[in-house]
Amino acid sequence: MSDLDMDLLRAFVRVTETGSFTRAGQLTGASQSAVSVKIRKLEKRLGEALLSRSPRSVRLTSFGARFLNDARDLIDLHDRIASRVSGAEARKPLLLGISDHAAGHKLPAIIAELSKALPGHRLHVSAGLSEDLYRDFKAGLFSAVIVRAEDVDVPGQTAFEEDLVWTASGNFVWPADSPFPLVALNGSCALRRLVVASLKEAGIVREDVFTGTGVGTVQAAVAAGLGIACLDRRNMPAGCRDVGRLYSLPALPRTRMALYTRQERGQGGAVGSAILRAFQQHG
């Protein structure tokens, strides 16, 4: 058997953790096909199949299940030795997931604050949808996440609470007798589902005028006057306003952003406190 490549081992572990070649690729910055090639190379070197693939699932073979702990041990040993050699052993990785709604355009300032507050950690930050981030947190892929509490099934430590507001540009006009011009994220966003349900219950016919992949794109579309979005008040773009009363739109609930961390008790307190301070100072 030829030498084992750490990159191949990491790809294998990521696939087993996420249950998906696509998700594993997103987390490692590779395409689904690139991850698949890495797994095939590793299987060829080992002379055994690691995964059983079907259109709907990815499962470990019996050999793959036995090899998984070995792969994790090899990666851990490699990383510890590499850290000692590079002199970076004292700096521990902090894998942080942040809901797009929690940070918005303030993400650079929040990350800068965390970098100063946690000099003993190497930050690895991912932004995305709350449901996706919390799922990956439960799978062990993040040290901590800040997500909308309403989108997950376990209470967390409150980072902050915020009003949700119907947001439009200062000069936007919703023409009478026309559908509600909705600006929102795609269908996998829980906040979008809440908005769609609220409009439907109020008997308001909607039209999707802009569908974005991140809060920044929604903010840009609203600021450009394309339509109306539901945003956290802290994420309202400059020059925009709350038009809920103006157009007699359904009342929106407050939203709560919560912190979930898996750090050890002593370290977790310091890390958690730093994360909370960064978000509260830039609220």
Side-chain angles (χ1 to χ4, degrees):
M1 181 183 70
S2 58
D3 293 342
L4 297 178
D5 186 323
M6 288 297 114
D7 189 41
L8 305 185
L9 292 175
R10 292 183 199 280
F12 168 58
V13 172
R14 284 299 194 194
V15 171
T16 62
E17 289 173 338
T18 62
S20 164
F21 283 82
T22 301
R23 288 291 298 150
Q26 291 171 344
L27 291 171
T28 58
S31 66
Q32 179 271 339
S33 59
V35 173
S36 182
V37 168
K38 290 178 182 180
I39 299 301
R40 287 199 298 271
K41 285 184 178 179
L42 181 58
E43 290 176 327
K44 183 176 180 180
R45 293 187 183 184
L46 293 170
E48 295 278 356
L50 294 167
L51 300 169
S52 175
R53 307 159 178 82
S54 73
R56 294 188 177 183
S57 66
V58 177
R59 295 183 180 180
L60 287 165
T61 63
S62 57
F63 176 82
R66 294 194 304 273
F67 181 70
L68 178 59
N69 285 335
D70 291 334
R72 286 172 169 157
D73 289 343
L74 285 169
I75 293 170
D76 182 61
L77 178 61
H78 172 275
D79 290 350
R80 284 191 282 112
I81 293 174
S83 294
R84 283 200 298 270
V85 171
S86 66
E89 187 174 19
R91 298 186 68 218
K92 298 182 178 179
L94 176 59
L95 311 177
L96 177 61
I98 302 176
S99 165
D100 215 3
H101 292 288
H105 67 283
K106 299 180 181 180
L107 182 59
I110 290 170
I111 292 176
E113 180 69 28
L114 283 173
S115 297
K116 289 190 295 183
L118 298 170
H121 290 79
R122 302 192 310 278
L123 283 177
H124 301 267
V125 180
S126 296
L129 297 178
S130 292
E131 290 178 322
D132 295 341
L133 294 174
Y134 185 69
R135 179 195 63 218
D136 289 344
F137 171 75
K138 290 196 296 183
L141 304 184
F142 287 109
S143 310
V145 291
I146 288 270
V147 298
R148 289 184 73 240
E150 298 89 348
D151 298 344
V152 301
D153 54 6
V154 178
Q157 186 175 3
T158 299
F160 62 88
E161 293 187 9
E162 185 61 277
D163 292 327
L164 293 174
V165 295
W166 297 106
T167 305
S169 66
N171 57 4
F172 176 82
V173 177
W174 178 15
D177 301 324
S178 66
F180 179 88
L182 179 62
V183 175
L185 297 181
N186 59 40
S188 61
C189 175
L191 185 56
R192 175 194 171 89
R193 295 197 295 269
L194 181 149
V195 168
V196 170
S198 297
L199 293 172
K200 183 176 181 180
E201 185 176 353
I204 298 175
V205 177
R206 83 173 198 282
E207 176 184 12
D208 294 321
V209 298
F210 182 87
T211 301
T213 56
V215 170
T217 62
V218 170
Q219 291 171 316
V222 167
L226 287 181
I228 302 173
C230 172
L231 287 171
D232 312 86
R233 188 175 295 279
R234 67 194 267 136
N235 283 327
M236 289 181 67
C240 289
R241 56 187 174 139
D242 180 352
V243 295
R245 287 188 179 181
L246 175 64
Y247 294 123
S248 301
L249 295 171
L252 292 169
R254 284 176 65 81
T255 187
R256 183 171 73 90
M257 294 294 172
L259 169 67
Y260 300 82
T261 179
R262 64 176 69 259
Q263 298 292 328
E264 298 166 359
R265 184 177 298 274
Q267 184 189 34
V271 169
S273 295
I275 294 172
L276 293 176
R277 282 197 305 272
F279 277 89
Q280 291 163 358
Q281 288 176 4
H282 295 280

